[in-house]
Amino acid sequence: MLTSFMEGLLCCLTSKSANVVVPAETSESTDGYEFVEVKPGRVLRVRHIIPDRPVVEEPTGPGGTVSCKRKITVYRNGQLFIENLGDRASAELKNCQNGEAEPNNTVEVELTDCAGIDGTAETAAGGGETPAAGQTDQSQQPRKRRRKPKRTVVIDCERKISACKGTHADVALFFIHGVGGSLDIWKSQVDFFSRLGYEVISPDLAGHGASSAPQIAAAYTFYALAEDMRLIFKRYARKRNILIGHSYGVSFCTFLAHEYPEQIHKMVMINGGGPTALEPSLCSIFNLPTCVLHCLSPLLAWSFLKAGFARQGAKEKQLLKDNNAFNVSSFVLRAMMSGQYWPEGDEVYHAELTVPILLVHGMHDKFVPIEEDQRMAEILLMAFLKVLEDGSHMVMMECPEAVNTLLHEFILWEPTTPPPQKKESKTRPETAKAQSDNIKADPSEVRPATASQTSSNINTEEKPNSKAKK
């Protein structure tokens, strides 16, 4: 603590940064680790594992086709209205293009007239005539105002979702960490899925782990980091890609799922927060000068341990040290927190996603309340929320077995295809029974059904009704 304070004081006096802004030394020069230059002078460390597959098994299961039909309406006051549509979507919705407002799309809002709740008593008190029975007084009816939406987005597509096994050569898993982390926090997940035969890609963000750390704050904005992840994705992507993000890394997964909807097969959000646009806080400890943050680095590490883990024992402290979970310079930490500006990532942006998403939340997380993940589950089209009672913000390190099981089950999940409906007989059971009784009674008196009876049977045939998806 005293050494950190002296270094911070020297930084303030000499106006020089005491932070190391070069890649951290690493002993893993090979064995699955690669260094990718995404831009001149901007090098990211990537752990890329392609396990030896003795038998390459191509996808044989038919999977399931999910119909994604949704109407998203945004009003000028910021109100959002989402309607999940089924097979009964009208032709007007099908012909509407994404992002265009429908001319006939309006909402009727009832404005209750408090002065005319009791119309009869009010009219009698005013000396007027009471309307006769069966007549309606138009002045006493609630007035209706038609409000036009600011923006309307209609999604109408179908997705084929199938199980992804480790023996499938067209499947790749991407693990993206958050602020202050590194690819080492995914050690348990990378080892688990690589043993099962999956191809795994896990990068270090700029300034984290063994990636290069530029000395300008603009290198750590959301858009700069998202562009890095986009280049990494294009380099290693397969036909069916599964994104797994943690905390701030969830935003980059969402960005990729929005940019490449056909290539993203499934996605996992671990303690990612609510579907709100990113905006840096004006009143935050991370707005302090870099030298002050450097002095407070032991306090910040202790606070991260208290808030990020459900328990704060020797095991958790060792996890922080071994997995490089909070080992980042104060300069990078300040630039990362100040660069979280992403106005496009609002609720509409998340509601447009059609990829199946698994939400994993640690019950004791003090950074992300469970209400935010619940809101995310409501906004997303296909979302499954799983809460782990023994975990906190770093749940993948605290409960690796439980997280690995959840991820594996979700990766293998595929929707069941309903069996084809059998055609019902056009003859009513009662009619057939009546004809059988006639045959038993007297075969000579059996008469064929008339044309009117046959027509009646066809018109009254019950047809299955399709229900809107929820």
Side-chain angles (χ1 to χ4, degrees), residues 355-397:
V355 58
I357 299 176
L358 172 64
L359 300 170
V360 181
H361 183 86
M363 178 63 74
H364 301 279
D365 191 353
K366 298 181 179 61
F367 291 111
V368 179
I370 191 174
E371 290 79 12
E372 293 190 13
D373 275 333
Q374 290 175 344
R375 179 58 178 169
M376 180 73 81
E378 295 176 356
I379 292 296
L380 296 174
L381 180 61
M382 289 184 288
F384 311 90
L385 176 59
K386 299 294 183 180
V387 180
L388 297 181
E389 297 181 357
D390 297 332
S392 183
H393 192 67
M394 308 300 294
V395 65
M396 81 289 292
M397 299 170 58

mmCIF file of all heavy atoms in Angstrom, residues 355-397:
data_model
loop_
_atom_site.group_PDB
_atom_site.id
_atom_site.type_symbol
_atom_site.label_atom_id
_atom_site.label_comp_id
_atom_site.label_asym_id
_atom_site.label_seq_id
_atom_site.Cartn_x
_atom_site.Cartn_y
_atom_site.Cartn_z
ATOM 1 N N VAL A 355 -31.506 -14.343 -32.314
ATOM 2 C CA VAL A 355 -30.694 -15.490 -31.948
ATOM 3 C C VAL A 355 -31.123 -15.996 -30.570
ATOM 4 O O VAL A 355 -31.470 -15.199 -29.690
ATOM 5 C CB VAL A 355 -29.199 -15.095 -31.946
ATOM 6 C CG1 VAL A 355 -28.935 -13.946 -30.999
ATOM 7 C CG2 VAL A 355 -28.318 -16.274 -31.591
ATOM 8 N N PRO A 356 -31.141 -17.307 -30.325
ATOM 9 C CA PRO A 356 -31.440 -17.816 -28.977
ATOM 10 C C PRO A 356 -30.339 -17.398 -27.999
ATOM 11 O O PRO A 356 -29.147 -17.480 -28.303
ATOM 12 C CB PRO A 356 -31.474 -19.340 -29.166
ATOM 13 C CG PRO A 356 -31.653 -19.552 -30.625
ATOM 14 C CD PRO A 356 -31.014 -18.389 -31.312
ATOM 15 N N ILE A 357 -30.753 -16.953 -26.816
ATOM 16 C CA ILE A 357 -29.809 -16.385 -25.847
ATOM 17 C C ILE A 357 -30.055 -17.015 -24.482
ATOM 18 O O ILE A 357 -31.200 -17.107 -24.018
ATOM 19 C CB ILE A 357 -29.951 -14.857 -25.768
ATOM 20 C CG1 ILE A 357 -29.638 -14.228 -27.129
ATOM 21 C CG2 ILE A 357 -29.050 -14.275 -24.692
ATOM 22 C CD1 ILE A 357 -29.852 -12.732 -27.183
ATOM 23 N N LEU A 358 -28.975 -17.426 -23.842
ATOM 24 C CA LEU A 358 -29.016 -17.921 -22.468
ATOM 25 C C LEU A 358 -28.464 -16.841 -21.555
ATOM 26 O O LEU A 358 -27.352 -16.343 -21.753
ATOM 27 C CB LEU A 358 -28.186 -19.201 -22.331
ATOM 28 C CG LEU A 358 -27.976 -19.720 -20.907
ATOM 29 C CD1 LEU A 358 -29.309 -20.137 -20.285
ATOM 30 C CD2 LEU A 358 -26.979 -20.873 -20.881
ATOM 31 N N LEU A 359 -29.240 -16.464 -20.540
ATOM 32 C CA LEU A 359 -28.836 -15.477 -19.544
ATOM 33 C C LEU A 359 -28.458 -16.212 -18.268
ATOM 34 O O LEU A 359 -29.267 -16.954 -17.704
ATOM 35 C CB LEU A 359 -29.962 -14.485 -19.257
ATOM 36 C CG LEU A 359 -30.471 -13.660 -20.449
ATOM 37 C CD1 LEU A 359 -31.732 -12.906 -20.065
ATOM 38 C CD2 LEU A 359 -29.414 -12.694 -20.919
ATOM 39 N N VAL A 360 -27.223 -16.009 -17.802
ATOM 40 C CA VAL A 360 -26.732 -16.614 -16.568
ATOM 41 C C VAL A 360 -26.454 -15.496 -15.579
ATOM 42 O O VAL A 360 -25.712 -14.546 -15.898
ATOM 43 C CB VAL A 360 -25.468 -17.449 -16.815
ATOM 44 C CG1 VAL A 360 -24.985 -18.080 -15.508
ATOM 45 C CG2 VAL A 360 -25.733 -18.534 -17.859
ATOM 46 N N HIS A 361 -27.032 -15.598 -14.397
ATOM 47 C CA HIS A 361 -26.896 -14.532 -13.393
ATOM 48 C C HIS A 361 -26.510 -15.137 -12.053
ATOM 49 O O HIS A 361 -27.091 -16.131 -11.612
ATOM 50 C CB HIS A 361 -28.212 -13.754 -13.243
ATOM 51 C CG HIS A 361 -28.129 -12.612 -12.278
ATOM 52 N ND1 HIS A 361 -27.695 -11.357 -12.649
ATOM 53 C CD2 HIS A 361 -28.404 -12.540 -10.954
ATOM 54 C CE1 HIS A 361 -27.718 -10.559 -11.597
ATOM 55 N NE2 HIS A 361 -28.142 -11.251 -10.555
ATOM 56 N N GLY A 362 -25.507 -14.530 -11.410
ATOM 57 C CA GLY A 362 -25.136 -14.907 -10.054
ATOM 58 C C GLY A 362 -25.987 -14.157 -9.042
ATOM 59 O O GLY A 362 -26.069 -12.919 -9.080
ATOM 60 N N MET A 363 -26.599 -14.888 -8.137
ATOM 61 C CA MET A 363 -27.555 -14.281 -7.209
ATOM 62 C C MET A 363 -26.919 -13.198 -6.350
ATOM 63 O O MET A 363 -27.550 -12.187 -6.036
ATOM 64 C CB MET A 363 -28.156 -15.374 -6.323
ATOM 65 C CG MET A 363 -29.133 -14.862 -5.281
ATOM 66 S SD MET A 363 -30.589 -14.084 -6.015
ATOM 67 C CE MET A 363 -31.455 -15.537 -6.601
ATOM 68 N N HIS A 364 -25.656 -13.347 -5.983
ATOM 69 C CA HIS A 364 -25.001 -12.397 -5.074
ATOM 70 C C HIS A 364 -24.236 -11.304 -5.815
ATOM 71 O O HIS A 364 -23.384 -10.640 -5.210
ATOM 72 C CB HIS A 364 -24.050 -13.157 -4.139
ATOM 73 C CG HIS A 364 -24.728 -14.204 -3.309
ATOM 74 N ND1 HIS A 364 -25.422 -13.921 -2.155
ATOM 75 C CD2 HIS A 364 -24.834 -15.548 -3.494
ATOM 76 C CE1 HIS A 364 -25.912 -15.034 -1.643
ATOM 77 N NE2 HIS A 364 -25.575 -16.042 -2.430
ATOM 78 N N ASP A 365 -24.516 -11.108 -7.078
ATOM 79 C CA ASP A 365 -23.816 -10.093 -7.861
ATOM 80 C C ASP A 365 -24.187 -8.704 -7.359
ATOM 81 O O ASP A 365 -25.362 -8.335 -7.336
ATOM 82 C CB ASP A 365 -24.181 -10.238 -9.341
ATOM 83 C CG ASP A 365 -23.292 -9.399 -10.242
ATOM 84 O OD1 ASP A 365 -22.489 -8.611 -9.714
ATOM 85 O OD2 ASP A 365 -23.404 -9.519 -11.470
ATOM 86 N N LYS A 366 -23.181 -7.940 -6.960
ATOM 87 C CA LYS A 366 -23.406 -6.571 -6.477
ATOM 88 C C LYS A 366 -23.164 -5.530 -7.566
ATOM 89 O O LYS A 366 -23.418 -4.345 -7.348
ATOM 90 C CB LYS A 366 -22.513 -6.290 -5.262
ATOM 91 C CG LYS A 366 -22.795 -7.188 -4.061
ATOM 92 C CD LYS A 366 -21.900 -6.852 -2.897
ATOM 93 C CE LYS A 366 -22.205 -7.721 -1.696
ATOM 94 N NZ LYS A 366 -22.006 -9.159 -1.959
ATOM 95 N N PHE A 367 -22.662 -5.937 -8.710
ATOM 96 C CA PHE A 367 -22.481 -5.018 -9.830
ATOM 97 C C PHE A 367 -23.730 -4.949 -10.704
ATOM 98 O O PHE A 367 -24.108 -3.874 -11.168
ATOM 99 C CB PHE A 367 -21.291 -5.450 -10.686
ATOM 100 C CG PHE A 367 -19.954 -5.285 -10.017
ATOM 101 C CD1 PHE A 367 -19.210 -6.383 -9.632
ATOM 102 C CD2 PHE A 367 -19.433 -4.031 -9.767
ATOM 103 C CE1 PHE A 367 -17.986 -6.247 -9.021
ATOM 104 C CE2 PHE A 367 -18.210 -3.873 -9.150
ATOM 105 C CZ PHE A 367 -17.475 -4.990 -8.770
ATOM 106 N N VAL A 368 -24.350 -6.084 -10.929
ATOM 107 C CA VAL A 368 -25.517 -6.171 -11.809
ATOM 108 C C VAL A 368 -26.692 -6.731 -11.013
ATOM 109 O O VAL A 368 -26.665 -7.906 -10.621
ATOM 110 C CB VAL A 368 -25.228 -7.062 -13.036
ATOM 111 C CG1 VAL A 368 -26.461 -7.149 -13.920
ATOM 112 C CG2 VAL A 368 -24.038 -6.531 -13.819
ATOM 113 N N PRO A 369 -27.722 -5.935 -10.729
ATOM 114 C CA PRO A 369 -28.905 -6.471 -10.024
ATOM 115 C C PRO A 369 -29.642 -7.478 -10.899
ATOM 116 O O PRO A 369 -29.592 -7.421 -12.137
ATOM 117 C CB PRO A 369 -29.758 -5.223 -9.765
ATOM 118 C CG PRO A 369 -28.876 -4.056 -10.021
ATOM 119 C CD PRO A 369 -27.831 -4.494 -10.986
ATOM 120 N N ILE A 370 -30.340 -8.384 -10.264
ATOM 121 C CA ILE A 370 -31.066 -9.404 -11.007
ATOM 122 C C ILE A 370 -32.211 -8.797 -11.805
ATOM 123 O O ILE A 370 -32.637 -9.352 -12.833
ATOM 124 C CB ILE A 370 -31.592 -10.492 -10.044
ATOM 125 C CG1 ILE A 370 -32.121 -11.690 -10.850
ATOM 126 C CG2 ILE A 370 -32.646 -9.932 -9.120
ATOM 127 C CD1 ILE A 370 -32.517 -12.860 -9.995
ATOM 128 N N GLU A 371 -32.709 -7.635 -11.375
ATOM 129 C CA GLU A 371 -33.788 -6.981 -12.116
ATOM 130 C C GLU A 371 -33.346 -6.603 -13.530
ATOM 131 O O GLU A 371 -34.161 -6.594 -14.454
ATOM 132 C CB GLU A 371 -34.269 -5.728 -11.370
ATOM 133 C CG GLU A 371 -35.025 -6.014 -10.087
ATOM 134 C CD GLU A 371 -34.113 -6.360 -8.944
ATOM 135 O OE1 GLU A 371 -32.888 -6.152 -9.082
ATOM 136 O OE2 GLU A 371 -34.614 -6.843 -7.902
ATOM 137 N N GLU A 372 -32.074 -6.301 -13.711
ATOM 138 C CA GLU A 372 -31.600 -5.939 -15.046
ATOM 139 C C GLU A 372 -31.610 -7.147 -15.982
ATOM 140 O O GLU A 372 -32.012 -7.033 -17.150
ATOM 141 C CB GLU A 372 -30.188 -5.345 -14.951
ATOM 142 C CG GLU A 372 -30.134 -4.006 -14.243
ATOM 143 C CD GLU A 372 -28.782 -3.342 -14.388
ATOM 144 O OE1 GLU A 372 -27.990 -3.800 -15.241
ATOM 145 O OE2 GLU A 372 -28.507 -2.366 -13.655
ATOM 146 N N ASP A 373 -31.195 -8.295 -15.500
ATOM 147 C CA ASP A 373 -31.240 -9.496 -16.337
ATOM 148 C C ASP A 373 -32.680 -9.940 -16.581
ATOM 149 O O ASP A 373 -32.998 -10.494 -17.642
ATOM 150 C CB ASP A 373 -30.447 -10.633 -15.686
ATOM 151 C CG ASP A 373 -28.965 -10.545 -16.021
ATOM 152 O OD1 ASP A 373 -28.637 -9.997 -17.083
ATOM 153 O OD2 ASP A 373 -28.141 -11.019 -15.222
ATOM 154 N N GLN A 374 -33.556 -9.707 -15.627
ATOM 155 C CA GLN A 374 -34.967 -10.015 -15.848
ATOM 156 C C GLN A 374 -35.557 -9.117 -16.925
ATOM 157 O O GLN A 374 -36.363 -9.564 -17.756
ATOM 158 C CB GLN A 374 -35.744 -9.862 -14.535
ATOM 159 C CG GLN A 374 -35.427 -10.935 -13.515
ATOM 160 C CD GLN A 374 -36.107 -10.686 -12.182
ATOM 161 O OE1 GLN A 374 -36.576 -9.569 -11.900
ATOM 162 N NE2 GLN A 374 -36.167 -11.698 -11.334
ATOM 163 N N ARG A 375 -35.176 -7.856 -16.925
ATOM 164 C CA ARG A 375 -35.623 -6.946 -17.975
ATOM 165 C C ARG A 375 -35.065 -7.372 -19.332
ATOM 166 O O ARG A 375 -35.756 -7.302 -20.357
ATOM 167 C CB ARG A 375 -35.189 -5.519 -17.645
ATOM 168 C CG ARG A 375 -35.580 -4.477 -18.703
ATOM 169 C CD ARG A 375 -37.071 -4.438 -18.929
ATOM 170 N NE ARG A 375 -37.454 -3.426 -19.899
ATOM 171 C CZ ARG A 375 -38.663 -3.314 -20.426
ATOM 172 N NH1 ARG A 375 -39.628 -4.169 -20.062
ATOM 173 N NH2 ARG A 375 -38.937 -2.370 -21.300
ATOM 174 N N MET A 376 -33.819 -7.828 -19.333
ATOM 175 C CA MET A 376 -33.229 -8.310 -20.570
ATOM 176 C C MET A 376 -34.003 -9.511 -21.105
ATOM 177 O O MET A 376 -34.241 -9.634 -22.311
ATOM 178 C CB MET A 376 -31.767 -8.677 -20.340
ATOM 179 C CG MET A 376 -31.047 -9.203 -21.571
ATOM 180 S SD MET A 376 -30.680 -7.924 -22.797
ATOM 181 C CE MET A 376 -29.208 -7.205 -22.082
ATOM 182 N N ALA A 377 -34.404 -10.415 -20.208
ATOM 183 C CA ALA A 377 -35.167 -11.591 -20.633
ATOM 184 C C ALA A 377 -36.518 -11.199 -21.216
ATOM 185 O O ALA A 377 -37.038 -11.878 -22.112
ATOM 186 C CB ALA A 377 -35.361 -12.544 -19.455
ATOM 187 N N GLU A 378 -37.112 -10.124 -20.735
ATOM 188 C CA GLU A 378 -38.394 -9.660 -21.260
ATOM 189 C C GLU A 378 -38.237 -9.030 -22.648
ATOM 190 O O GLU A 378 -39.115 -9.191 -23.497
ATOM 191 C CB GLU A 378 -39.013 -8.641 -20.305
ATOM 192 C CG GLU A 378 -39.399 -9.211 -18.949
ATOM 193 C CD GLU A 378 -39.912 -8.139 -18.010
ATOM 194 O OE1 GLU A 378 -39.884 -6.953 -18.407
ATOM 195 O OE2 GLU A 378 -40.330 -8.477 -16.890
ATOM 196 N N ILE A 379 -37.148 -8.350 -22.872
ATOM 197 C CA ILE A 379 -36.949 -7.647 -24.135
ATOM 198 C C ILE A 379 -36.559 -8.611 -25.248
ATOM 199 O O ILE A 379 -37.051 -8.505 -26.379
ATOM 200 C CB ILE A 379 -35.886 -6.549 -23.977
ATOM 201 C CG1 ILE A 379 -36.413 -5.426 -23.075
ATOM 202 C CG2 ILE A 379 -35.481 -5.978 -25.322
ATOM 203 C CD1 ILE A 379 -37.600 -4.682 -23.632
ATOM 204 N N LEU A 380 -35.694 -9.574 -24.962
ATOM 205 C CA LEU A 380 -35.195 -10.474 -25.989
ATOM 206 C C LEU A 380 -36.295 -11.390 -26.496
ATOM 207 O O LEU A 380 -37.227 -11.738 -25.770
ATOM 208 C CB LEU A 380 -34.038 -11.310 -25.434
ATOM 209 C CG LEU A 380 -32.785 -10.524 -25.015
ATOM 210 C CD1 LEU A 380 -31.781 -11.451 -24.357
ATOM 211 C CD2 LEU A 380 -32.161 -9.834 -26.218
ATOM 212 N N LEU A 381 -36.171 -11.781 -27.752
ATOM 213 C CA LEU A 381 -37.188 -12.616 -28.381
ATOM 214 C C LEU A 381 -37.132 -14.050 -27.891
ATOM 215 O O LEU A 381 -38.148 -14.643 -27.523
ATOM 216 C CB LEU A 381 -37.022 -12.575 -29.903
ATOM 217 C CG LEU A 381 -38.017 -13.405 -30.721
ATOM 218 C CD1 LEU A 381 -39.437 -12.930 -30.474
ATOM 219 C CD2 LEU A 381 -37.676 -13.332 -32.201
ATOM 220 N N MET A 382 -35.940 -14.661 -27.874
ATOM 221 C CA MET A 382 -35.761 -16.038 -27.403
ATOM 222 C C MET A 382 -34.688 -16.037 -26.325
ATOM 223 O O MET A 382 -33.488 -16.059 -26.626
ATOM 224 C CB MET A 382 -35.358 -16.956 -28.553
ATOM 225 C CG MET A 382 -36.458 -17.239 -29.540
ATOM 226 S SD MET A 382 -35.966 -18.430 -30.813
ATOM 227 C CE MET A 382 -34.837 -17.412 -31.771
ATOM 228 N N ALA A 383 -35.097 -15.973 -25.069
ATOM 229 C CA ALA A 383 -34.158 -15.874 -23.954
ATOM 230 C C ALA A 383 -34.536 -16.860 -22.858
ATOM 231 O O ALA A 383 -35.723 -17.114 -22.613
ATOM 232 C CB ALA A 383 -34.126 -14.453 -23.394
ATOM 233 N N PHE A 384 -33.511 -17.403 -22.193
ATOM 234 C CA PHE A 384 -33.681 -18.315 -21.075
ATOM 235 C C PHE A 384 -32.818 -17.799 -19.932
ATOM 236 O O PHE A 384 -31.604 -17.692 -20.076
ATOM 237 C CB PHE A 384 -33.263 -19.740 -21.452
ATOM 238 C CG PHE A 384 -33.865 -20.230 -22.739
ATOM 239 C CD1 PHE A 384 -33.220 -20.022 -23.960
ATOM 240 C CD2 PHE A 384 -35.079 -20.887 -22.752
ATOM 241 C CE1 PHE A 384 -33.761 -20.467 -25.149
ATOM 242 C CE2 PHE A 384 -35.632 -21.337 -23.940
ATOM 243 C CZ PHE A 384 -34.978 -21.129 -25.133
ATOM 244 N N LEU A 385 -33.437 -17.473 -18.808
ATOM 245 C CA LEU A 385 -32.727 -16.918 -17.659
ATOM 246 C C LEU A 385 -32.480 -18.016 -16.629
ATOM 247 O O LEU A 385 -33.414 -18.691 -16.192
ATOM 248 C CB LEU A 385 -33.527 -15.773 -17.036
ATOM 249 C CG LEU A 385 -32.951 -15.155 -15.752
ATOM 250 C CD1 LEU A 385 -31.563 -14.594 -15.994
ATOM 251 C CD2 LEU A 385 -33.886 -14.088 -15.197
ATOM 252 N N LYS A 386 -31.203 -18.200 -16.258
ATOM 253 C CA LYS A 386 -30.810 -19.156 -15.234
ATOM 254 C C LYS A 386 -30.063 -18.402 -14.131
ATOM 255 O O LYS A 386 -29.117 -17.664 -14.409
ATOM 256 C CB LYS A 386 -29.902 -20.249 -15.810
ATOM 257 C CG LYS A 386 -30.559 -21.083 -16.900
ATOM 258 C CD LYS A 386 -31.717 -21.915 -16.351
ATOM 259 C CE LYS A 386 -32.326 -22.791 -17.433
ATOM 260 N NZ LYS A 386 -33.452 -23.610 -16.914
ATOM 261 N N VAL A 387 -30.499 -18.599 -12.894
ATOM 262 C CA VAL A 387 -29.910 -17.922 -11.738
ATOM 263 C C VAL A 387 -29.180 -18.956 -10.889
ATOM 264 O O VAL A 387 -29.770 -19.981 -10.514
ATOM 265 C CB VAL A 387 -30.984 -17.191 -10.905
ATOM 266 C CG1 VAL A 387 -30.344 -16.488 -9.717
ATOM 267 C CG2 VAL A 387 -31.748 -16.192 -11.769
ATOM 268 N N LEU A 388 -27.908 -18.680 -10.586
ATOM 269 C CA LEU A 388 -27.106 -19.557 -9.735
ATOM 270 C C LEU A 388 -27.018 -18.933 -8.347
ATOM 271 O O LEU A 388 -26.508 -17.818 -8.185
ATOM 272 C CB LEU A 388 -25.713 -19.750 -10.325
ATOM 273 C CG LEU A 388 -25.667 -20.454 -11.698
ATOM 274 C CD1 LEU A 388 -24.231 -20.605 -12.176
ATOM 275 C CD2 LEU A 388 -26.340 -21.810 -11.626
ATOM 276 N N GLU A 389 -27.510 -19.649 -7.356
ATOM 277 C CA GLU A 389 -27.617 -19.090 -6.004
ATOM 278 C C GLU A 389 -26.264 -18.935 -5.325
ATOM 279 O O GLU A 389 -26.103 -18.090 -4.443
ATOM 280 C CB GLU A 389 -28.522 -19.979 -5.148
ATOM 281 C CG GLU A 389 -29.958 -20.048 -5.654
ATOM 282 C CD GLU A 389 -30.838 -20.902 -4.777
ATOM 283 O OE1 GLU A 389 -30.289 -21.477 -3.804
ATOM 284 O OE2 GLU A 389 -32.047 -21.002 -5.047
ATOM 285 N N ASP A 390 -25.282 -19.731 -5.701
ATOM 286 C CA ASP A 390 -23.982 -19.690 -5.027
ATOM 287 C C ASP A 390 -22.975 -18.802 -5.735
ATOM 288 O O ASP A 390 -21.804 -18.757 -5.323
ATOM 289 C CB ASP A 390 -23.400 -21.110 -4.926
ATOM 290 C CG ASP A 390 -24.273 -22.024 -4.080
ATOM 291 O OD1 ASP A 390 -24.963 -21.500 -3.183
ATOM 292 O OD2 ASP A 390 -24.273 -23.248 -4.320
ATOM 293 N N GLY A 391 -23.384 -18.101 -6.774
ATOM 294 C CA GLY A 391 -22.444 -17.316 -7.551
ATOM 295 C C GLY A 391 -22.659 -15.827 -7.413
ATOM 296 O O GLY A 391 -23.694 -15.355 -6.936
ATOM 297 N N SER A 392 -21.662 -15.079 -7.866
ATOM 298 C CA SER A 392 -21.735 -13.626 -7.870
ATOM 299 C C SER A 392 -21.347 -13.132 -9.266
ATOM 300 O O SER A 392 -21.650 -13.793 -10.260
ATOM 301 C CB SER A 392 -20.820 -13.043 -6.795
ATOM 302 O OG SER A 392 -20.940 -11.630 -6.737
ATOM 303 N N HIS A 393 -20.644 -12.019 -9.355
ATOM 304 C CA HIS A 393 -20.327 -11.457 -10.669
ATOM 305 C C HIS A 393 -19.354 -12.347 -11.441
ATOM 306 O O HIS A 393 -19.481 -12.491 -12.656
ATOM 307 C CB HIS A 393 -19.732 -10.053 -10.499
ATOM 308 C CG HIS A 393 -19.643 -9.278 -11.769
ATOM 309 N ND1 HIS A 393 -20.745 -8.842 -12.471
ATOM 310 C CD2 HIS A 393 -18.556 -8.860 -12.494
ATOM 311 C CE1 HIS A 393 -20.364 -8.191 -13.555
ATOM 312 N NE2 HIS A 393 -19.042 -8.192 -13.592
ATOM 313 N N MET A 394 -18.398 -12.957 -10.755
ATOM 314 C CA MET A 394 -17.432 -13.857 -11.395
ATOM 315 C C MET A 394 -17.898 -15.297 -11.250
ATOM 316 O O MET A 394 -17.168 -16.175 -10.797
ATOM 317 C CB MET A 394 -16.044 -13.662 -10.775
ATOM 318 C CG MET A 394 -15.579 -12.221 -10.752
ATOM 319 S SD MET A 394 -15.477 -11.473 -12.402
ATOM 320 C CE MET A 394 -14.172 -12.436 -13.137
ATOM 321 N N VAL A 395 -19.132 -15.551 -11.661
ATOM 322 C CA VAL A 395 -19.748 -16.854 -11.421
ATOM 323 C C VAL A 395 -19.048 -17.950 -12.203
ATOM 324 O O VAL A 395 -19.010 -19.107 -11.767
ATOM 325 C CB VAL A 395 -21.250 -16.780 -11.781
ATOM 326 C CG1 VAL A 395 -21.449 -16.522 -13.257
ATOM 327 C CG2 VAL A 395 -21.976 -18.036 -11.355
ATOM 328 N N MET A 396 -18.450 -17.634 -13.336
ATOM 329 C CA MET A 396 -17.768 -18.681 -14.119
ATOM 330 C C MET A 396 -16.513 -19.175 -13.417
ATOM 331 O O MET A 396 -16.048 -20.291 -13.693
ATOM 332 C CB MET A 396 -17.445 -18.156 -15.520
ATOM 333 C CG MET A 396 -16.206 -17.302 -15.642
ATOM 334 S SD MET A 396 -16.404 -15.679 -14.896
ATOM 335 C CE MET A 396 -17.582 -14.975 -16.023
ATOM 336 N N MET A 397 -15.956 -18.380 -12.490
ATOM 337 C CA MET A 397 -14.810 -18.802 -11.706
ATOM 338 C C MET A 397 -15.228 -19.416 -10.380
ATOM 339 O O MET A 397 -14.558 -20.314 -9.871
ATOM 340 C CB MET A 397 -13.888 -17.599 -11.457
ATOM 341 C CG MET A 397 -13.323 -16.977 -12.720
ATOM 342 S SD MET A 397 -12.483 -15.395 -12.420
ATOM 343 C CE MET A 397 -11.234 -15.889 -11.237
#
